[in-house]
Amino acid sequence: TKLTKYILKKINILLEEIGENDKDLGGFYDDAQKIRKNHAKNKKLFSDSYSFLSLHIEDNGSGFNEGSFSRFERLFDESKNRNNLGSGRLQYLHYFKYTQIVSVFLANDGTKKKRTILLSMDYYKQYGSVIYSKLEQVSENTPIKTIVSFFIPLNEEDGNQLGDITTAELKESVLKRYLNNFCINRDNLQRLEFHLSINDVLDESKTETITLEDIPQADYHDEFDINYSTLNEKGTGVDLCSDSETFMVDAYFLPPSILNKTEIRLTSKGESFPATGFNFSLITEAPRIDNDKNTLFLISSDYLTDRDTDIRGNLELVSRKDFVEKRNLFMGQRQILIDDIENNAITSITSQYPALKRAKEEAQSNLDSLIELFSLDKDVVQA
């Protein structure tokens, strides 16, 4: 449902801080990111029933400090980036009657403060604003954390569906949606816990946790250097430069319930994205390496991160064909070309896995046969 997708989106905001906080620690640490549902127990004559009361999402990031709260108050604020305009608060108002944010943070003056924020359309008639906030000083031993709480879904069906989602189902949904990110950040993950409370009393039997056992280690890791390319003096061809960038490829075996087919994705800033503009069909359409699992290949490089725009995942990469055809745009520039990333990655992957190597050799053999049969120019065909 739309509400479930929205809740997962909110959880993703929480997960974006994974790998950003306490990077020096590594591994799972004592503090955990927590998602807790609270149900009401309704006494009936012959049996008890349960209904959704609230949803709480807790993390220990930097919190709603002065800068964060300033952005939060301004709709369509672009100070973070042009694809993060602060529209989340509108979704809070769209789905829930009340949203409460309680955040303890380190203030600019070095003291700890607690900011309480309430959001509701009900406030507008009385206060002329949908946001109410309160700031107070707290003791130095108060832990830094933020809890976002949602109360009273505006749609009855949404409330029923939130009540029906079990902690086990929520864990599975989060794993399926964000496992790419977990794999990338495996060494810097906090525990992610899913809790259920009945009338604000924790039901420990329903607690689910995403642990390291849920996140596979890379089956294969390789690094290779790719040289920059530049146009020749006439702009009709491509010359290789002496300087290069290092690229890495990692492979993960995942069950079909999590990954329904073999994929190759690019990574940047701790997230992964489809390899748009690349042709990795030789890998993705080949037989499974593991009979029971599909393979996720992640390609990473500082170069990819540097080419990431404000619109997350929109990597500014160019193919050899466009590099030459749009020579007026690229004359005098150095670029790592899509074709070179593609070829080096395929060579690395097929060298590691014999089944894929055989598929590559068979494809090349078929191509060579066609070139010979129709007397084609091999260089043109393979360009």
Side-chain angles (χ1 to χ4, degrees):
T1 67
K2 288 184 179 179
L3 179 61
T4 304
K5 290 179 179 178
Y6 166 66
I7 294 302
L8 288 177
K9 183 178 180 180
K10 175 65 191 111
I11 291 172
N12 185 42
I13 295 172
L14 176 155
L15 297 178
E16 285 179 359
E17 297 196 1
I18 290 177
E20 293 301 321
N21 303 314
D22 303 320
K23 281 186 175 180
D24 56 319
L25 296 178
F28 273 38
Y29 10 104
D30 292 337
D31 290 329
Q33 315 279 19
K34 299 175 183 177
I35 295 98
R36 177 172 62 88
K37 287 204 307 168
N38 188 31
H39 288 185
K41 185 176 183 180
N42 308 307
K43 288 286 186 180
K44 292 188 175 181
L45 183 60
F46 297 106
S47 64
D48 295 330
S49 65
Y50 300 89
S51 58
F52 173 80
L53 281 181
S54 57
L55 177 74
H56 310 267
I57 300 177
E58 175 183 332
D59 71 47
N60 61 351
S62 56
F64 275 81
N65 54 30
E66 288 84 351
S68 297
F69 184 63
S70 177
R71 286 194 299 270
F72 185 82
E73 286 187 300
R74 296 194 301 269
L75 184 61
F76 302 135
D77 179 277
E78 296 185 353
S79 60
K80 205 168 186 180
N81 64 56
R82 69 172 182 260
N83 198 41
N84 191 336
L85 304 180
S87 60
R89 82 209 72 165
L90 296 182
Q91 298 179 59
Y92 298 165
L93 297 168
H94 180 72
Y95 287 116
F96 294 93
K97 188 171 184 178
Y98 298 106
T99 300
Q100 174 183 272
I101 303 170
V102 179
S103 182
V104 177
F105 62 94
L106 189 63
N108 290 338
D109 61 7
T111 63
K112 286 186 178 179
K113 294 182 180 180
K114 180 173 76 172
R115 175 171 275 120
T116 302
I117 306 169
L118 300 175
L119 295 94
S120 175
M121 289 300 296
D122 289 357
Y123 298 151
Y124 190 78
K125 292 180 181 178
Q126 186 173 357
Y127 303 109
S129 173
V130 296
I131 301 176
Y132 165 83
S133 67
K134 175 183 176 182
L135 185 64
E136 55 191 312
Q137 193 103 7
V138 293
S139 65
E140 290 304 304
N141 59 0
T142 305
I144 292 177
K145 66 179 179 180
T146 298
I147 302 176
V148 182
S149 302
F150 305 97
F151 302 92
I152 312 178
L154 296 176
N155 183 285
E156 183 179 354
E157 183 181 352
D158 288 342
N160 293 335
Q161 290 171 345
L162 273 174
D164 290 339
I165 298 173
T166 67
T167 51
E169 290 170 338
L170 192 53
K171 171 186 173 178
E172 182 180 353
S173 296
V174 170
L175 261 179
K176 187 172 183 177
R177 174 65 180 82
Y178 301 112
L179 190 58
N180 293 349
N181 307 59
F182 291 147
C183 289
I184 295 170
N185 297 291
R186 192 178 191 275
D187 292 336
N188 294 298
L189 288 177
Q190 290 176 294
R191 293 193 319 279
L192 185 55
E193 298 177 354
F194 304 86
H195 299 282
L196 176 65
S197 295
I198 307 298
N199 295 335
D200 282 320
V201 177
L202 180 65
D203 183 351
E204 294 187 1
S205 68
K206 297 296 193 296
T207 295
E208 297 283 343
T209 305
I210 292 180
T211 69
L212 287 177
E213 285 69 32
D214 296 307
I215 305 166
Q217 289 183 306
D219 178 74
Y220 163 65
H221 172 86
D222 188 27
E223 299 184 10
F224 46 87
D225 292 332
I226 300 179
N227 291 88
Y228 280 89
S229 292
T230 187
L231 292 167
N232 61 24
E233 291 184 2
K234 295 182 179 180
T236 57
V238 175
D239 294 331
L240 288 179
C241 303
S242 58
D243 49 343
S244 62
E245 295 281 354
T246 299
F247 283 71
M248 290 154 284
V249 59
D250 294 271
Y252 301 88
F253 291 146
L254 305 174
S257 60
I258 299 296
L259 185 71
N260 59 16
K261 63 178 183 178
T262 295
E263 289 187 28
I264 297 183
R265 298 175 69 87
L266 308 179
T267 73
S268 170
K269 302 177 182 177
E271 297 188 51
S272 67
F273 308 97
T276 304
F278 290 76
N279 180 9
F280 286 119
S281 57
L282 182 66
I283 305 297
T284 57
E285 296 177 10
R288 281 180 178 172
I289 300 171
D290 185 299
N291 291 332
D292 300 320
K293 297 180 179 179
N294 290 314
T295 313
L296 172 65
F297 295 99
L298 298 177
I299 299 173
S300 57
S301 172
D302 288 342
Y303 182 82
L304 297 179
T305 300
D306 292 341
R307 308 300 291 183
D308 201 344
T309 67
D310 286 336
I311 302 176
R312 187 170 301 155
N314 184 24
L315 305 180
E316 294 181 336
L317 302 174
V318 61
S319 68
R320 184 180 299 270
K321 179 181 178 182
D322 285 343
F323 196 48
V324 174
E325 290 184 354
K326 301 175 182 178
R327 61 181 66 87
N328 291 337
L329 293 176
F330 299 111
M331 205 67 188
Q333 292 187 22
R334 300 177 313 131
Q335 297 277 343
I336 299 288
L337 301 180
I338 285 177
D339 311 62
D340 293 331
I341 300 173
E342 184 181 294
N343 292 335
N344 278 270
I346 290 175
T347 298
S348 172
I349 292 168
T350 55
S351 297
Q352 173 66 21
Y353 298 107
L356 297 181
K357 184 177 181 180
R358 289 193 295 271
K360 179 184 179 184
E361 291 171 346
E362 183 178 343
Q364 185 62 51
S365 177
N366 292 337
L367 180 61
D368 290 342
S369 296
L370 288 174
I371 290 172
E372 183 177 355
L373 179 63
F374 294 102
S375 301
L376 302 175
D377 186 322
K378 187 173 182 178
D379 293 333
V380 172
V381 172
Q382 293 187 330

